[in-house]
Amino acid sequence: MPVKRQKWSEDFGEWFRDVLINAGIMDYRYPIKGSGVWMPYGFKIRRNVLQILRDLLDNTGHDETLFPLLIPETSLAQEAAHGKSFEGECFWVTHGGFERLKVRYALRPTSETVIAPMLKLWIRSHADLPMKLYQVVNVFRHETKATRPIIRMREVSTFKEAHTCHATSKEAEEQVNEAVGLYKRFFDDVGVPYCVSRRPEWDKFAGALYTIAFDMLCPDGRVLQIGTVHNLGQNFAKAFNITYETKDGSQEHIWTTSYGISGRGIAAVLIAHGDDNGIVLPPKIAPIQVAIVPVPYKGKEKEVNKACIDVASKLKDAGYRVELDLRAELTPGNKFYYWELRGVPIRIEIGPRDLANGVVTIVRRDTFKKQTWTMDDVVAAVQTFAEEITNDLKANAETWMRERVYRVNSLAEAKTLLKRKAGIVEVPCCGKDKCGHSLEETVEARLLGFPEDITEKVDGKCVVCGEQAVNVVRVALAY
Ligand code: P5A
């Protein structure tokens, strides 16, 4: 049966809001705009996604930490470009009880200026470097654009931020490459396709030398920035005077990088694999990997339930996360719908006829394809299904996105494509800021930047000024 994707593709915003609440992921009705509640099922998905990131970071020499939430205004302003950019985006604490604070505190919008004063205390010599830290926290940004659950929050409740310190510019540059590689592995692991682009000067992180960003394409033809990696050079080190003693005894400023993925890293998975029936979770992050639903006939309830219990215990022993749905008040059909909406990748149905034949019926959530397997082989069957679903979700999402990346040689073609929300458009560009701005204005879309993920440079003439192009740049409608 072909999977329906009308609502997913036709009204993605509504689909996303509905699915979050109906599948028990996030309740966005909290009485503060831009704040939401991770519900029990959503929290479990969040935990599984975070575990992948934690493992990647822990295995590459990053140490998890937890820094304070409040930033004195003086610290936030210490790196000028950073302070200026974030000042208007902060929530400010002005009072302690009835007393007005002498220096107001910002709720962290990100933590470069929280971490810097401590790095100054901790880093003494080259032996302390490199230092690679990360934390998973909530950050606060007074977003003025339309807020959306998970995607654009004012309380960003799952902000995974890494901050690294190095002795040389080259090492910081290498760290940026490592971080891009880690994020690629993360998104590959959850089957989310992406483009990696170097943001133009005017869209880099405030205080950075440059920013490399991951973007995914949403079903409505807009891109969503799902992660960023920044080379901060010595900007924060100089602003906070963070130095180290080199091997020959001189004092040098350190070099730093930072990189982050927010709850959007979770939203990305839900968006990439959704359909009209709800979400479809890759088995690795599904809180429930297999839902077992008895399909009893009158008089056979006991035997059917017993077979379901046996299958559940076999799968649990093999390490799968299994839910045995014995709710008496729901029909099997209601249960199928319930688990489909929640994206449980594999469903096992057992009825009296299956029982008589010593088989189970296994249904894939992504394709709804059904197969019968002998009960004795149920563990091997689930393993095969889980692998196939993982690979197919990734491959289908990848194909879907690649079919929506267009390479054209004129502004007119780019404009037409973007007007009909066709996807991501690549055009040759000389790389001058003036042409970049002009391109954005003409096509009425966001310049994502030069690709960081295609090795061969594209020859051609800049679509704006006609001079030799450096490479293609990507443009797209953006969230
Ligand atoms: C890198 C980590 C930083 O803040 N400091 C520490 C750096 N970068 S960033 O680009 O500003 O943010 C990192 C990622 O967070 C997501 N994001 C958001 N997600 C949900 N709601 C928001 N309001 C929001 N703002 C940013 C983006 O995906 C961004 O790439």
Side-chain angles (χ1 to χ4, degrees):
M1 192 196 309
V3 176
K4 284 184 294 170
R5 280 192 144 186
Q6 278 100 335
K7 197 170 166 221
W8 176 86
S9 60
E10 276 168 22
D11 196 341
F12 156 66
E14 196 194 333
W15 174 88
F16 192 57
R17 267 190 305 275
D18 286 355
V19 102
L20 288 182
I21 186 109
N22 294 337
I25 296 168
M26 177 172 277
D27 195 332
Y28 198 55
R29 293 171 297 179
Y30 187 73
I32 290 183
K33 186 178 155 75
S35 288
V37 180
W38 285 97
M39 297 161 78
Y41 190 65
F43 194 87
K44 290 187 183 99
I45 299 174
R46 177 183 180 273
R47 190 160 58 188
N48 292 342
V49 173
L50 278 178
Q51 194 56 48
I52 299 177
L53 268 170
R54 280 201 163 95
D55 287 345
L56 282 169
L57 293 166
D58 292 346
N59 292 333
T60 46
H62 297 74
D63 288 309
E64 187 164 3
T65 52
L66 186 56
F67 282 82
L69 164 68
L70 297 176
I71 315 177
E73 180 170 19
T74 40
S75 291
L76 188 85
Q78 212 154 320
E79 204 291 324
H82 187 80
K84 201 161 159 248
S85 162
F86 275 107
E87 188 187 9
E89 258 186 74
C90 285
F91 284 91
W92 291 100
V93 178
T94 56
H95 287 76
F98 296 116
E99 215 176 296
R100 177 172 277 281
L101 300 173
K102 286 201 180 67
V103 175
R104 52 183 189 155
Y105 302 143
L107 300 187
R108 62 180 162 225
T110 171
S111 302
E112 280 74 6
T113 60
V114 181
I115 290 172
M118 304 313 291
L119 296 177
K120 184 174 165 56
L121 301 175
W122 294 346
I123 295 170
R124 290 271 153 265
S125 86
H126 59 88
D128 299 320
L129 299 172
M131 188 181 281
K132 302 189 335 184
L133 307 174
Y134 78 95
Q135 61 176 1
V136 184
V137 293
N138 44 0
V139 297
F140 296 80
R141 294 185 182 182
H142 189 260
E143 295 283 358
T144 46
K145 281 189 183 174
T147 52
R148 287 168 187 275
I150 310 187
I151 290 175
R152 181 168 285 105
M153 305 284 279
R154 284 184 170 173
E155 177 173 359
V156 188
S157 57
T158 312
F159 195 71
K160 193 286 305 150
E161 50 177 327
H163 297 265
T164 71
C165 308
H166 308 272
T168 63
S169 158
K170 185 167 168 278
E171 283 170 33
E173 187 92 30
E174 282 165 7
Q175 190 56 42
V176 164
N177 294 336
E178 177 184 89
V180 170
L182 288 174
Y183 283 1
K184 281 185 180 170
R185 276 163 63 190
F186 166 70
F187 287 116
D188 287 344
D189 218 9
V190 290
V192 170
Y194 50 80
C195 289
V196 190
S197 312
R198 186 177 290 233
R199 288 284 186 259
E201 265 304 291
W202 62 90
D203 200 18
K204 69 181 183 187
F205 181 69
L209 295 183
Y210 62 85
T211 290
I212 293 175
F214 284 67
D215 295 294
M216 79 174 291
L217 187 63
C218 294
D220 59 357
R222 287 174 188 274
V223 293
L224 179 65
Q225 176 178 293
I226 48 175
T228 33
V229 179
H230 316 291
N231 188 336
L232 305 173
Q234 290 179 308
N235 291 344
F236 286 86
K238 285 186 174 159
F240 286 83
N241 198 24
I242 311 169
T243 58
Y244 74 99
E245 189 176 297
T246 63
K247 280 186 184 141
D248 59 24
S250 62
Q251 291 289 321
E252 292 273 353
H253 285 107
I254 61 164
W255 299 78
T256 64
T257 80
S258 71
Y259 31 104
I261 287 182
S262 72
R264 288 185 193 177
I266 304 162
V269 188
L270 309 179
I271 295 166
H273 309 308
D275 64 27
D276 273 6
N277 297 62
I279 56 170
V280 185
L281 294 172
K284 188 162 183 178
I285 61 152
I288 298 166
Q289 296 164 313
V290 186
I292 303 179
V293 179
V295 189
Y297 258 39
K298 271 208 184 85
K300 294 271 183 202
E301 288 91 344
K302 250 198 185 139
E303 290 96 319
V304 168
N305 283 357
K306 180 171 176 314
C308 289
I309 293 168
D310 287 348
V311 168
S313 96
K314 260 193 203 170
L315 288 169
K316 277 185 192 160
D317 288 348
Y320 288 101
R321 298 187 283 271
V322 180
E323 179 79 21
L324 175 56
D325 192 349
L326 295 179
R327 289 176 292 179
E329 70 282 11
L330 294 183
T331 63
N334 290 148
K335 293 179 186 177
F336 298 165
Y337 172 79
Y338 184 91
W339 296 116
E340 279 163 14
L341 177 63
R342 283 160 183 75
V344 172
I346 296 168
R347 181 171 83 226
I348 295 184
E349 304 169 10
I350 304 178
R353 199 178 302 153
D354 296 315
L355 202 56
N357 296 330
V359 298
V360 295
T361 302
I362 306 190
V363 189
R364 279 174 64 151
R365 168 62 183 86
D366 57 338
T367 57
F368 295 106
K369 229 188 245 155
K370 280 189 180 198
Q371 260 186 36
T372 24
W373 283 70
T374 58
M375 224 170 265
D376 292 340
D377 291 336
V378 72
V379 173
V382 164
Q383 190 186 340
T384 309
F385 267 66
E387 278 165 18
E388 283 176 8
I389 293 171
T390 303
N391 295 338
D392 292 354
L393 285 179
K394 183 170 174 351
N396 290 338
E398 182 73 30
T399 307
W400 183 88
M401 190 190 89
R402 292 291 152 214
E403 283 170 358
R404 287 162 181 78
V405 178
Y406 299 86
R407 188 166 290 177
V408 296
N409 286 310
S410 75
L411 279 174
E413 285 168 291
K415 197 170 174 167
T416 310
L417 285 165
L418 291 163
K419 207 162 205 128
R420 65 174 175 85
K421 300 183 176 152
I424 298 169
V425 180
E426 296 177 340
V427 288
C429 184
C430 66
K432 284 197 287 290
D433 282 1
K434 200 171 131 233
C435 286
H437 284 302
S438 167
L439 174 59
E440 279 192 330
E441 262 169 47
T442 313
V443 300
E444 295 173 67
R446 179 87 61 83
L447 177 59
L448 305 179
F450 284 115
E452 281 284 321
D453 49 0
I454 39 183
T455 38
E456 84 289 2
K457 290 247 187 302
V458 179
D459 209 22
K461 301 276 178 246
C462 174
V463 285
V464 182
C465 69
E467 283 178 23
Q468 182 62 37
V470 178
N471 199 350
V472 286
V473 285
R474 297 187 171 124
V475 270
L477 302 173
Y479 271 103

